[in-house]
Amino acid sequence: MENPTAAKVHAPPGGFLRRYVFSTDHKVIGIQYYLLALFSVFLGMTLSALMRYHLVYPGEKQHLFQLLWPNGAPDGIMTPELYLSLMTMHGTIMVFFVLTTAPQSGFGNYFLPLQIGAPDMAFPVLNMLSFWTTLLSFLVLCSAFFADGGAPLGGWTAYPPLSATGAIAGPGMGTGMDLWIISIALFCVASLMGAINFLTTVLEMRAKGMSLMRMPLTCWGWFVTAVISLFAFAVLLTAGILLLLDRLGGTSFFLPAGLVISDRVLDHSGGSPLLWQHLFWFFGHPEVYIAILPGMGLVSTVLSVFSRKPVFGYKAMAYAMVAIGLLGFLVWGHHMFISGMSPYSAIAFSVLTLAIGVPSAIKTFNWLGTIWGGQLRLTTAMLFALGFVSVFVSGGLTGLFLGQPALDLYFHDTYFVVGHFHMIMGVASIFGIFAATFYWFPKVTGRMMSEPLGKIHFYCTFLGAYAIFIPMHFAGIAGNPRRYADFTQFDFLKDLASVHKFITHAALFTAVIQLLFLWNLFWSWRRGAKARENPWNATTLEWALPSPPPAHNFGINPPLVKRGPYDYSLPQGGKDFLMQHEGEEE
Amino acid sequence: MNLAMAGSQRRASFTGLYAFLVSVTMFFAAFTSAMVVRRGASDDWKGVPAPSLLWVNTGVLAVSSVLAEKARRVLRAGDRRRHFNLWWTGATLLGAMFVAGQIMVWRYLHRHGVYLNTTPGSAFFFVGTIAHAVHLGGGWLAMLYLNIRAFRLELGPGRRTAIDVATIYWHFLGILWLYLLWLFRFWGN
Amino acid sequence: MLFAGLIWLTAAVVAAAFAMKRWWFPPPINTYAANFDSYFSLNIAVAGIIFFLAQAALGWFIWRFRNQGRRVRHTEGNNRLEVVWTAVTLALFLAASVPSAVLWSRVHLDLLSPTAMSVELLGQQFAWNVRYPGPDGRYGRTSARFVNDAAGNPFGIDDGDPAGKDDVVSGALRIPAGKPVLLRLHSRDVIHSFFVRELRVKQDLVPGMEIPLKIEADKPGEYEIACSELCGLGHHQMRGLLIVMPPAQFDAWLRQQREARQ
């Protein structure tokens, strides 16, 4: 057996800037992405906390609001336009800079090359460029807060004509909306660069013996996600450019004739608002899978490691991911059942949508199959992985309702939808990120995170997530529309005040609890117990390297891979597990 | 070991290129579907009065592609740097000519009162041709860079891969141009 | 095993909260809405059972397979099981799509009798406008140029068109009980969405399009119309009223409005 750790031939690049800022090392870039996502998630969460507060105490003055937004909350009371701009920014930040950035760009960058035994990503400079473009995109987005009129209020879906007609459609729809579109276009470019890099790395950089069917399921997740990104973000880029031209170039791609806004007759004509929705959701639905697939791969791995059992049905798991990736491009119409699209196509989209539940169900069954008969080590990483399965089931089942046009006729754009997608896209993906953080932290830092703190954080977050998002379904069943700046104008909404109050308190509690995680992360980074090379007795290649790994990974001796990724509890006795480069060729 | 690494680098470059071509294809596929939907959405569709210069440009780009291919083959066949330089410089110059020609087309349209927002057809025409020109500009910069390196006799194995990649990308842009031409001149007229 | 207990508790509380039906649909006001409710009940029952079984199984596995230092049997999967659960879920999902499509076609694909009354509903930032054609059944021509809210012409009805002279414009959507009505949905600025909870129906109003929507209400009363597509800063206050009247009363009201126009 060769010892890959002995091969430290290259010294890391000198100089702080080259080493930590403009680094081309995939590990540094991975950490940069993770920190960007970490900052974003706390920003996005803070926005949601402020929104939730306003929703249940609409008339109460808060000096903080006035301090932060002298124009948006002139007397300490949040204006509707401020509420909607916070909502838009919350959604955009969370979807793009957290759920797309952390699982794929963050963890993927750090661990894909390590797990396949590669020295780096295929194109390190492109990798650096894609991070800096993402950061630029984030800065442009945040600058919208300071634009004349504030941040845009059109929601993260930016439906025209609202998003295409400029400042007359509302505050924030002028410069703020332009900045939003530019930010998203930059993000598309960055994601395309990332996708090309990931795809090439998986196809061309695998160590000897690492066949596709020996890759850990995390790598399958990143690979399928990269392919999806390659297709989806290119389409969003086109859509973004056309939308920007409708605003700034006087074209009419999305704007029909005869619009009267703020008593002004616009001279656009002939465009189609539905065209945007088609283009947007052709990206937007696959985006959901971009957010969740890496988490699915990670959860499979973590369940296997801490059950000391191979992943149940490895092939089925890999194929299910591919199936989700493919079907994901055929279901965008289920976001448009009530948009005025042909009722016949609604039926087709409905059948395809329900069909995509099948690979998702296969994954769930296989997760249960993986822990069945195991000996579960309930570490924090494992708890988050199990929590992922729980919320994935809960969030997936409500999808059964929304995927049927007849039921969506009622639930569309209600809090039922908000509860559904937060559960499946938000909470499940975030649980994946948490599980990954606790699982890989020792490898990245050489130290362990605090388990007691981690467990308290997990239990509170798990309960908090259910307490926030399950009641939203009740509000939805009662017909509560989403994206309302307050609930004072409708009689039927007054009955739901207690539900919303409960949700807000649960949300504030859960938000505060996240500080525990932040504390755990940074405290453990400096002070955590020292980690061994392979503290979890895992089998994949990253654990064959020292913690943290040297700058050039395996150096000039890439490992020779001899077996699949999950060889736990082997019948031969002796060691409980064999790493992928250990033992005899399988 | 080094040879194997260089080989995998070369393969990676091609894979990366093809992945990139997929994303460019998706970009223009979305563009096309937007055009189809937009044309069907209303009865205000009008084509663009395109000058015959478009055909000249097409010819220029085609010859440029042929020269680039010739240069690549000369280099692969026998390291005759002088000849490679000749063909490759020709391809680069014609590439610049194509862009210049496109700018003349846009100016021609402006002179005839056709702007981005004049008709739905003109909007798509400008967006499509400019997007193509931007992609082409990226490829042209790569060609120029390789040209300078070639004149300095600095063509290592890595840059030879780059020449192959640039040439394939150049052909792709040529085919893309033919497609766009068909889209605007025939389907959209 | 704290977590196993927690999952069971969560599953039980969630299931109980749904079973309580404390925050639920308003009573239906037509047969379609009643059908919707029973189809929803079927769905929630099936989903609820799956939810409960899956969470209970997860909790049970966590408890049953807690680490007691036993040796684990190495197993990599079971192809027969994979086939079985793939087939079962596929059958379940496909089965769901059939009754759902039937219910959907009631709203969007069933033909309306040609004698049905037609009403135009126009959305604007942030109000609803309703227009009834005159006795001739024809709407007057409209143009954006004539839109004038202050003068009571939100539709922009062209005075030059005689067909528009007898159009009745109203702020509330009044319809006769028990009669099918064809709504013609328009928007003059951004996308809005027509949603009346009691009808269990929602439909976007898209500028540049006329979208037909068939509604029918059996129970007289007042019902709130809530805009359900983000339309700007006043989205949350875009409230309208659907007023379902006994037919005779409705006819009298419409006649009175027409006379007032003359």
Side-chain angles (χ1 to χ4, degrees):
Chain A
M1 192 194 97
E2 64 207 335
N3 182 2
T5 64
K8 282 190 202 168
V9 282
H10 300 281
F16 180 82
L17 275 183
R18 283 286 309 282
R19 203 160 161 187
Y20 296 113
V21 184
F22 297 105
S23 170
T24 54
D25 181 350
H26 69 101
K27 298 185 287 298
V28 176
I29 295 172
I31 294 173
Q32 288 173 329
Y33 268 118
Y34 185 85
L35 292 178
L36 172 62
L38 190 69
F39 180 78
S40 306
V41 80
F42 274 87
L43 178 60
M45 187 182 72
T46 308
L47 298 183
S48 66
L50 299 180
M51 284 153 59
R52 281 310 314 180
Y53 178 87
H54 167 77
L55 279 181
V56 297
Y57 304 109
E60 246 162 78
K61 295 189 179 185
Q62 273 299 326
H63 189 60
L64 179 68
F65 295 166
Q66 196 177 352
L67 206 69
L68 289 171
W69 291 280
N71 296 320
D75 48 2
I77 291 177
M78 211 183 265
T79 54
E81 55 268 34
L82 176 59
Y83 174 87
L84 292 176
S85 71
L86 299 187
M87 177 206 81
T88 302
M89 295 297 267
H90 165 81
T92 311
I93 287 171
M94 290 303 202
V95 169
F96 291 101
F97 296 98
V98 179
L99 299 181
T100 310
T101 297
Q104 178 77 2
S105 310
F107 289 112
N109 250 312
Y110 200 108
F111 288 103
L112 173 64
L114 296 180
Q115 289 198 327
I116 60 174
D120 202 317
M121 295 292 269
F123 309 112
V125 177
L126 186 70
N127 204 14
M128 178 182 79
L129 273 179
S130 95
F131 169 74
W132 286 100
T133 311
T134 309
L135 184 68
L136 179 65
S137 154
F138 181 71
L139 295 177
V140 171
L141 182 72
C142 289
S143 68
F145 274 124
F146 306 99
D148 183 26
L153 50 71
W156 84 283
T157 50
Y159 280 10
L162 184 61
S163 64
T165 43
I168 50 170
M173 300 314 275
T175 317
M177 190 68 213
D178 290 335
L179 291 170
W180 186 93
I181 299 172
I182 292 167
S183 161
I184 296 308
L186 285 170
F187 193 91
C188 290
V189 173
S191 296
L192 288 173
M193 293 195 276
I196 291 168
N197 219 341
F198 272 74
L199 194 132
T200 310
T201 305
V202 170
L203 290 179
E204 302 296 348
M205 306 285 285
R206 280 170 287 128
K208 213 164 169 224
M210 179 65 84
S211 61
L212 286 176
M213 279 310 187
R214 277 182 180 172
M215 287 200 307
L217 286 169
T218 39
C219 298
W220 271 104
W222 293 318
F223 178 55
V224 176
T225 302
V227 177
I228 296 175
S229 305
L230 198 62
F231 284 84
F233 278 107
V235 173
L236 183 63
L237 183 58
T238 310
I241 290 172
L242 298 185
L243 184 61
L244 201 61
L245 289 176
D246 266 7
R247 298 170 53 80
L248 305 177
T251 54
S252 302
F253 297 110
F254 306 120
L255 292 176
L259 295 184
V260 184
I261 299 183
S262 300
D263 294 327
R264 283 227 328 252
V265 182
L266 305 189
D267 56 1
H268 293 271
S269 69
S272 159
L274 290 196
L275 171 59
W276 167 266
Q277 297 183 28
H278 281 292
L279 292 173
F280 182 84
W281 288 116
F282 186 83
F283 148 80
H285 197 77
E287 166 62 31
V288 175
Y289 300 110
I290 290 173
I292 197 93
L293 279 170
M296 287 176 160
L298 186 271
V299 164
S300 309
T301 298
V302 167
L303 291 180
S304 166
V305 172
F306 295 106
S307 306
R308 311 310 296 165
K309 267 189 73 207
V311 166
F312 195 85
Y314 171 89
K315 276 189 183 164
M317 288 297 235
Y319 293 149
M321 283 194 191
V322 176
I324 288 173
L326 289 176
L327 281 171
F329 280 105
L330 303 175
V331 301
W332 79 89
H334 70 224
H335 297 270
M336 299 173 61
F337 286 150
I338 65 150
S339 68
M341 177 182 76
S342 152
Y344 293 99
S345 57
I347 293 175
F349 278 122
S350 160
V351 173
L352 289 164
T353 300
L354 293 170
I356 209 171
V358 175
S360 307
I362 291 174
K363 298 207 75 89
T364 308
F365 285 127
N366 280 304
W367 286 324
L368 292 175
T370 303
I371 59 175
W372 172 268
Q375 291 283 294
L376 308 192
R377 273 85 164 157
L378 293 184
T379 59
T380 309
M382 179 65 159
L383 288 173
F384 272 113
L386 292 165
F388 177 102
V389 177
S390 172
V391 293
F392 185 74
V393 168
S394 307
L397 281 169
T398 47
L400 189 64
F401 296 79
L402 298 170
Q404 302 179 53
L407 295 177
D408 188 62
L409 265 179
Y410 184 89
F411 289 117
H412 189 95
D413 261 351
T414 63
Y415 267 78
F416 195 91
V417 178
V418 181
H420 161 72
F421 74 73
H422 274 92
M423 208 74 172
I424 193 104
M425 190 185 181
V427 181
S429 302
I430 295 270
F431 275 23
I433 295 172
F434 280 137
T437 304
F438 280 88
Y439 179 64
W440 275 321
F441 188 84
K443 182 50 61 188
V444 175
T445 64
R447 290 175 188 276
M448 309 295 288
M449 283 180 82
S450 158
E451 283 290 317
L453 269 185
K455 282 179 182 161
I456 297 171
H457 168 237
F458 166 73
Y459 285 122
C460 293
T461 307
F462 180 81
L463 287 178
Y466 271 98
I468 297 167
F469 297 115
I470 290 295
M472 286 192 183
H473 294 85
F474 298 125
I477 291 174
N480 193 339
R482 64 192 277 215
R483 295 172 162 178
Y484 270 23
D486 69 52
F487 303 132
T488 56
Q489 308 291 321
F490 284 82
D491 293 336
F492 77 92
L493 292 176
K494 287 175 185 147
D495 184 44
L496 297 168
S498 56
V499 180
H500 282 294
K501 206 162 270 187
F502 182 83
I503 294 172
T504 294
H505 290 147
L508 294 176
F509 165 77
T510 314
V512 170
I513 283 297
Q514 302 314 308
L515 295 176
L516 218 55
F517 170 75
L518 206 59
W519 166 255
N520 195 351
L521 192 72
F522 287 112
W523 184 84
S524 305
W525 202 318
R526 303 295 307 277
R527 297 276 160 85
K530 284 257 190 278
R532 287 182 293 119
E533 192 172 285
N534 187 2
W536 314 122
N537 291 337
T539 51
T540 45
L541 290 179
E542 78 270 30
W543 302 105
L545 289 170
S547 314
H552 288 271
N553 300 355
F554 302 93
I556 55 163
N557 283 325
L560 181 64
V561 176
K562 302 195 184 99
R563 54 186 60 253
Y566 302 112
D567 263 344
Y568 296 102
S569 303
L570 292 166
Q572 293 91 335
K575 225 165 122 186
D576 162 58
F577 66 102
L578 276 179
M579 299 187 73
Q580 285 194 272
H581 64 292
E582 290 177 339
E584 297 299 310
E585 177 74 27
E586 217 175 31
Chain B
M1 186 68 215
N2 264 338
L3 210 65
M5 287 254 288
S8 83
Q9 273 296 330
R10 186 176 161 81
R11 275 210 321 277
S13 302
F14 282 108
T15 308
L17 170 71
Y18 294 134
F20 177 57
L21 296 190
V22 168
S23 73
V24 177
T25 306
M26 276 316 285
F27 179 90
F28 282 98
F31 174 80
T32 307
S33 70
M35 202 164 152
V36 173
V37 171
R38 176 63 182 81
R39 191 182 181 181
S42 308
D43 49 10
D44 61 351
W45 188 265
K46 246 181 88 189
V48 179
S52 48
L53 186 56
L54 275 178
W55 297 109
V56 178
N57 289 351
T58 309
V60 167
L61 192 61
V63 175
S64 172
S65 235
V66 170
L67 293 189
E69 182 64 28
K70 180 79 186 162
R72 185 170 80 116
R73 291 195 178 175
V74 163
L75 188 68
R76 197 165 43 179
D79 226 9
R80 292 159 67 184
R81 288 231 170 81
R82 192 77 54 80
H83 286 143
F84 166 80
N85 286 354
L86 187 66
W87 297 120
W88 192 257
T89 308
T92 314
L93 285 178
L94 286 178
M97 262 180 72
F98 174 81
V99 177
Q102 293 290 82
I103 293 172
M104 283 161 72
V105 169
W106 298 328
R107 290 177 59 95
Y108 168 90
L109 289 175
H110 282 185
R111 273 202 309 279
H112 287 74
V114 179
Y115 295 92
L116 175 73
N117 59 350
T118 308
T119 64
S122 74
F124 280 101
F125 181 83
F126 278 107
V127 174
T129 51
I130 290 174
H132 177 259
V134 168
H135 283 93
L136 196 106
W140 188 79
L141 285 178
M143 284 176 85
L144 186 69
Y145 169 80
L146 291 168
N147 216 344
I148 293 167
R149 290 294 178 176
F151 273 116
R152 289 196 196 160
L153 305 179
E154 292 169 341
L155 288 184
R159 298 222 171 86
R160 288 178 187 221
T161 303
I163 284 168
D164 288 334
V165 166
T167 311
I168 295 171
Y169 182 52
W170 204 244
H171 295 335
F172 172 82
L173 289 171
I175 294 165
L176 180 64
W177 171 248
L178 289 180
Y179 167 73
L180 288 176
L181 194 67
W182 169 80
L183 197 64
F184 295 126
R185 290 301 294 131
F186 297 102
W187 183 83
N189 242 352
Chain C
M1 303 274 22
L2 182 56
F3 189 40
L6 208 61
I7 288 186
W8 285 329
L9 183 73
T10 309
V13 169
V14 170
F18 272 96
M20 222 166 65
K21 298 189 180 181
R22 163 68 182 81
W23 298 281
W24 214 249
F25 303 99
I29 56 169
N30 60 25
T31 42
Y32 166 77
N35 289 342
F36 173 97
D37 285 5
S38 51
Y39 186 60
F40 175 82
S41 303
L42 175 69
N43 271 267
I44 197 88
V46 173
I49 290 168
I50 298 174
F51 167 80
F52 197 79
L53 289 180
Q55 303 288 357
L58 183 62
W60 182 54
F61 287 11
I62 291 170
W63 182 78
R64 162 99 200 268
F65 301 113
R66 65 194 181 279
N67 185 12
Q68 295 167 308
R70 293 217 190 96
R71 193 157 174 84
V72 174
R73 202 171 66 84
H74 180 94
T75 162
E76 298 194 341
N78 181 329
N79 284 338
R80 191 181 301 163
L81 265 180
E82 301 285 349
V83 172
V84 168
W85 58 47
T86 306
V88 168
T89 43
L90 189 64
L92 176 77
F93 289 153
L94 289 183
S97 67
V98 175
S100 153
V102 170
L103 200 61
W104 169 255
S105 62
R106 293 260 171 77
V107 179
H108 276 294
L109 300 176
D110 279 8
L111 290 175
L112 197 63
S113 77
T115 58
M117 190 180 99
S118 143
V119 182
E120 187 182 336
L121 184 65
L122 175 79
Q124 73 175 88
Q125 284 183 326
F126 304 98
W128 302 93
N129 305 289
V130 186
R131 178 159 72 133
Y132 300 85
D136 55 353
R138 287 174 53 218
Y139 293 99
R141 195 171 54 223
T142 62
S143 162
R145 280 176 299 142
F146 303 115
V147 168
N148 190 339
D149 291 330
N153 191 4
F155 286 86
I157 300 172
D158 184 351
D159 273 343
D161 183 10
K165 294 278 186 216
D166 52 1
D167 288 2
V168 169
V169 174
S170 156
L173 175 58
R174 290 168 197 269
I175 61 168
K179 293 201 174 159
V181 174
L182 181 70
L183 289 183
R184 299 165 183 277
L185 304 177
H186 289 273
S187 166
R188 69 174 214 207
D189 41 35
V190 301
I191 300 177
H192 303 279
S193 193
F194 170 81
F195 175 44
V196 176
R197 303 184 308 146
E198 289 81 358
L199 294 173
R200 309 283 190 270
V201 162
K202 185 172 290 169
Q203 177 59 53
D204 280 0
L205 293 71
V206 183
M209 287 174 79
E210 174 174 284
I211 300 171
L213 179 70
K214 188 186 58 173
I215 61 170
E216 187 175 341
D218 297 335
K219 229 172 93 190
E222 291 192 1
Y223 310 99
E224 291 179 299
I225 305 172
C227 179
S228 292
E229 187 65 72
L230 178 58
C231 59
L233 63 93
H235 176 47
H236 66 289
Q237 59 196 33
M238 190 164 161
R239 176 178 183 268
L241 270 188
L242 168 69
I243 303 174
V244 181
M245 307 165 88
Q249 213 176 321
F250 173 79
D251 290 341
W253 172 81
L254 191 59
R255 206 176 318 118
Q256 192 190 342
Q257 294 294 312
R258 280 179 187 146
E259 279 159 12
R261 276 278 287 172
Q262 301 298 315

